[in-house]
Amino acid sequence: MLYIIGLGLADEQDISVKGLEIVRKADRVYLEAYTAVLLVPKEQLEAYYGRYVILADREMVESQSDEILKDADTKDVAFLVVGDPFSATTHTDLALRCRQNDPPIPTRSIPNASILTAVGATGLSLYNFGQTVSMVFFTETWKPSSFYDRIAENASLGFHTLMLLDIKVKEPNLQALARGKIVYEKPRFMTVAKCASQMLEAEEERKQGLCGKEALAVGVARLGSEEQQIVAGTLEELSAADLGRPLHSLVLCGKKMHDMEWEYVRGFAVDQKRFDEVWQRNYSGK
Amino acid sequence: MLYIIGLGLADEQDISVKGLEIVRKADRVYLEAYTAVLLVPKEQLEAYYGRYVILADREMVESQSDEILKDADTKDVAFLVVGDPFSATTHTDLALRCRQNDPPIPTRSIPNASILTAVGATGLSLYNFGQTVSMVFFTETWKPSSFYDRIAENASLGFHTLMLLDIKVKEPNLQALARGKIVYEKPRFMTVAKCASQMLEAEEERKQGLCGKEALAVGVARLGSEEQQIVAGTLEELSAADLGRPLHSLVLCGKKMHDMEWEYVRGFAVDQKRFDEVWQRNYSGK
């Protein structure tokens, strides 16, 4: 059996009791470590679970999954995923490969918290979100603005947009690669401030008024942990906000935002007076 | 401190290790039992947690929250919520009351699995969902079709729609009430079949071609439990499907559905040939 087990968001104790029991009994334990990361190192999981944990990077999961699935028709393999098991399509792929295996490998998923719902801690109603959107790091020569089209779709219906921010782990250094050497870059995690500034940059280009300086948004960091931080404000304010260490996400508020949502969110405002003023002028009932 | 603790979806072992430790130490433990239910009775939770659990019905949470929050500025109160803490606006309300209390009551939420993401087990990409929609039981005289407008919004962008199905717990019998007596009806939980048939009924009325007999959908039951069941088909097929005991939910597929999603979902089809035929004709690349 392949168990795809959600770990939740923060640390080793966010696993469910059910998930923990499976991990403790499984023949092999993998940790998918490239679509998201916990706030604690692998060693802390190993100490708590009492198990050796094999790090599964993108290459292993996407190209060498035979290794992960080896003997899984007769043995129990635990595949640990930060957040919820189906938060990334790559996990559905793995389940599909199990189904298509000869003989088929039975799978079971153990759900857990995901940023997609934990973001409800902001006070924004989960019923008012449209599609989730990814934001990648811009480079000098590559500033993909497809995220802007998705925001535009959501905005056309007044929905909030959850932006999941880029994570770069185990990225090869391109200069070294050109010399035939594999050297990995230091992991990079996009901050709320970086996301907000990239949104402002895209707005300058596209000019549809979707994510300009006065657009209201909520930044979140380390949700579900004791050092969880939530900051609300205009994109201009958030582009200067420091929410500390990763992981960060950002929600762009939709115009459908209800008074009750506003009442809760304003408690997190960088500048409550300014927040209320922009809300009254551009959002409330608009 | 008020701890709002997600219990996950199925049974007493879906709580996180962190949540369980808080429950075991808290001064009082409440279970919110009207927006969703676990698949096991309260007594099973009590036995596992080793704690007496106070059932909190709608009246207690919405009108008598003082009782829940009593002394919570100095004592630890655990408020257990099926799914994720912020899956229902009523929980945000409670957190808001804590903030507005004099003195303010600190709160902390412990995230957990929610149907909003567990539905990823169908193979449908969580990135392609629009707003979540509730479906209530139609009566002879009241068939609200506002859900149809929301589906129409999602469909205009090709999004999937997750439909959360009505739960009636502790509903007073109206005839008895007219005689001045309070008698509670037996709990009722909407099935996938009932939801599909109500959607077909609304389509007959509204005729925008959004949820007719050939609309593709996926029904899910008891997600996250060992008896999890997933069934894909046309709404006509699902209106005759029996997915067993509660809880059920339904996803109406959007036209943006990708080949990769189809490949996974078709494995759950009532009638795979028919599923593929409708997919090719009305969905794939449309």
Side-chain angles (χ1 to χ4, degrees):
Chain A
M1 176 89 89
L2 177 76
Y3 291 94
I4 307 181
I5 301 174
L7 294 187
L9 298 166
D11 62 40
E12 71 281 6
Q13 295 193 40
D14 285 330
I15 194 170
S16 68
V17 176
K18 195 180 280 172
L20 182 59
E21 286 190 5
I22 296 168
V23 170
R24 290 197 165 147
K25 286 187 212 154
D27 294 289
R28 295 194 306 280
V29 182
Y30 295 89
L31 171 64
E32 186 272 274
Y34 63 95
T35 66
V37 295
L38 285 182
L39 307 178
V40 296
K42 182 183 85 137
E43 292 69 28
Q44 198 162 323
L45 300 187
E46 290 181 320
Y48 188 74
Y49 301 157
R51 296 301 310 271
Y52 174 65
V53 171
I54 305 161
L55 268 193
D57 59 16
R58 185 185 299 273
E59 201 191 331
M60 184 189 277
V61 177
E62 296 182 0
S63 312
Q64 301 163 15
S65 63
D66 288 354
E67 192 181 321
I68 297 171
L69 301 182
K70 188 165 177 277
D71 303 328
D73 53 328
T74 54
K75 293 191 169 178
D76 284 340
V77 176
F79 185 77
L80 311 184
V81 171
V82 175
D84 189 64
F86 294 102
S87 46
T89 48
T90 180
H91 311 140
T92 314
D93 269 6
L94 194 65
L96 190 59
R97 266 171 271 161
C98 287
R99 197 199 270 171
Q100 293 168 341
N101 199 66
D102 182 21
I105 296 167
T107 60
R108 184 164 174 216
S109 56
I110 306 294
N112 208 324
S114 161
I115 182 66
L116 271 64
T117 50
V119 77
T122 57
L124 295 171
S125 167
L126 296 175
Y127 287 71
N128 292 342
F129 280 73
Q131 65 193 322
T132 302
V133 172
S134 298
M135 174 68 97
V136 299
F137 279 113
F138 286 0
T139 66
E140 277 305 308
T141 52
W142 191 60
K143 300 178 196 288
S145 69
S146 54
F147 79 86
Y148 197 94
D149 302 312
R150 300 216 171 82
I151 286 176
E153 289 185 336
N154 284 345
S156 72
L157 296 171
F159 295 155
H160 308 310
T161 304
L162 169 63
M163 317 270 307
L164 299 181
L165 310 189
D166 206 358
I167 289 178
K168 298 268 188 216
V169 289
K170 223 179 166 185
E171 295 282 317
N173 176 295
L174 295 179
Q175 289 176 322
L177 206 60
R179 295 194 310 270
K181 275 193 187 172
I182 296 184
V183 178
Y184 294 110
E185 301 276 7
K186 232 178 74 181
R188 284 201 303 159
F189 303 93
M190 189 182 287
T191 62
V192 162
K194 170 60 91 177
C195 176
S197 68
Q198 290 194 175
M199 290 169 81
L200 293 172
E201 199 178 334
E203 179 61 39
E204 292 232 327
E205 182 84 14
R206 304 284 296 265
K207 296 186 170 53
Q208 295 173 39
L210 299 177
C211 49
K213 290 181 180 175
E214 286 206 338
L216 293 182
V218 187
V220 298
R222 302 172 301 284
L223 272 192
S225 80
E226 282 196 77
E227 357 151 25
Q228 166 175 309
Q229 202 177 338
I230 302 175
V231 175
T234 63
L235 280 181
E236 187 175 33
E237 287 168 335
L238 292 187
S239 72
D242 180 3
L243 276 76
R245 67 187 191 103
L247 292 176
H248 293 190
S249 306
L250 183 146
V251 181
L252 182 67
C253 299
K255 299 259 166 154
K256 224 186 200 176
M257 183 165 157
H258 192 274
D259 280 357
M260 274 180 49
E261 296 176 272
W262 164 71
E263 197 180 352
Y264 199 81
V265 171
R266 67 193 289 273
F268 301 115
V270 181
D271 176 345
Q272 203 169 70
K273 200 175 140 201
R274 171 125 177 90
F275 191 85
D276 289 352
E277 185 248 320
V278 174
W279 160 261
Q280 290 298 345
R281 179 154 41 83
N282 299 337
Y283 287 78
S284 179
K286 300 292 186 295
Chain B
M1 176 88 87
L2 177 76
Y3 291 94
I4 307 181
I5 300 173
L7 294 187
L9 298 167
D11 61 40
E12 72 280 7
Q13 295 193 40
D14 286 330
I15 194 169
S16 67
V17 176
K18 195 181 279 172
L20 181 60
E21 286 189 5
I22 296 168
V23 170
R24 291 199 164 145
K25 286 187 210 153
D27 294 289
R28 294 195 306 282
V29 181
Y30 295 89
L31 171 65
E32 187 272 272
Y34 63 95
T35 66
V37 295
L38 285 183
L39 306 180
V40 297
K42 182 183 85 132
E43 291 68 28
Q44 199 163 323
L45 300 187
E46 290 181 319
Y48 188 76
Y49 302 157
R51 297 300 311 271
Y52 174 65
V53 172
I54 305 161
L55 268 194
D57 59 16
R58 186 185 297 273
E59 199 190 332
M60 183 188 276
V61 177
E62 296 183 359
S63 312
Q64 299 164 16
S65 63
D66 288 354
E67 193 181 320
I68 297 171
L69 301 181
K70 187 163 179 277
D71 304 328
D73 53 327
T74 54
K75 294 193 168 176
D76 284 340
V77 177
F79 185 76
L80 311 184
V81 171
V82 175
D84 189 64
F86 295 103
S87 46
T89 49
T90 181
H91 310 141
T92 314
D93 270 6
L94 194 65
L96 189 60
R97 267 171 270 161
C98 287
R99 196 199 271 170
Q100 293 168 341
N101 199 66
D102 183 20
I105 296 166
T107 59
R108 182 163 176 217
S109 56
I110 307 294
N112 207 325
S114 162
I115 182 67
L116 271 64
T117 50
V119 77
T122 57
L124 294 171
S125 167
L126 296 174
Y127 288 71
N128 291 343
F129 280 73
Q131 64 192 323
T132 302
V133 172
S134 297
M135 173 68 95
V136 299
F137 278 113
F138 286 180
T139 67
E140 277 305 307
T141 52
W142 191 61
K143 300 178 196 287
S145 68
S146 54
F147 79 86
Y148 196 94
D149 302 313
R150 300 215 171 83
I151 286 176
E153 289 185 338
N154 284 346
S156 73
L157 297 171
F159 295 155
H160 308 310
T161 303
L162 170 63
M163 317 272 305
L164 299 181
L165 310 190
D166 206 358
I167 288 178
K168 298 268 187 216
V169 290
K170 223 178 167 186
E171 295 282 317
N173 176 295
L174 295 178
Q175 289 176 323
L177 205 62
R179 295 195 310 270
K181 276 193 184 170
I182 297 183
V183 178
Y184 294 110
E185 301 276 7
K186 232 177 74 181
R188 285 201 303 158
F189 303 94
M190 190 183 288
T191 61
V192 162
K194 170 61 92 178
C195 176
S197 67
Q198 290 193 175
M199 290 169 82
L200 293 172
E201 199 177 335
E203 179 61 39
E204 292 233 326
E205 183 83 16
R206 304 284 296 265
K207 295 186 170 52
Q208 294 173 42
L210 300 176
C211 49
K213 291 181 181 176
E214 286 206 338
L216 293 182
V218 187
V220 299
R222 302 173 302 284
L223 273 191
S225 80
E226 282 198 76
E227 359 153 22
Q228 167 175 308
Q229 202 176 338
I230 301 175
V231 174
T234 63
L235 280 181
E236 186 176 32
E237 287 168 336
L238 291 186
S239 72
D242 180 4
L243 275 76
R245 67 188 192 102
L247 292 175
H248 293 190
S249 306
L250 182 145
V251 181
L252 182 67
C253 299
K255 300 259 167 156
K256 225 186 199 176
M257 183 165 157
H258 192 276
D259 280 357
M260 274 179 50
E261 296 176 272
W262 163 70
E263 197 181 352
Y264 198 81
V265 171
R266 67 194 288 274
F268 301 114
V270 181
D271 176 344
Q272 203 168 71
K273 201 176 139 199
R274 170 124 177 90
F275 191 85
D276 289 352
E277 185 249 319
V278 174
W279 160 262
Q280 290 298 345
R281 181 153 40 83
N282 299 337
Y283 287 78
S284 179
K286 302 292 185 296

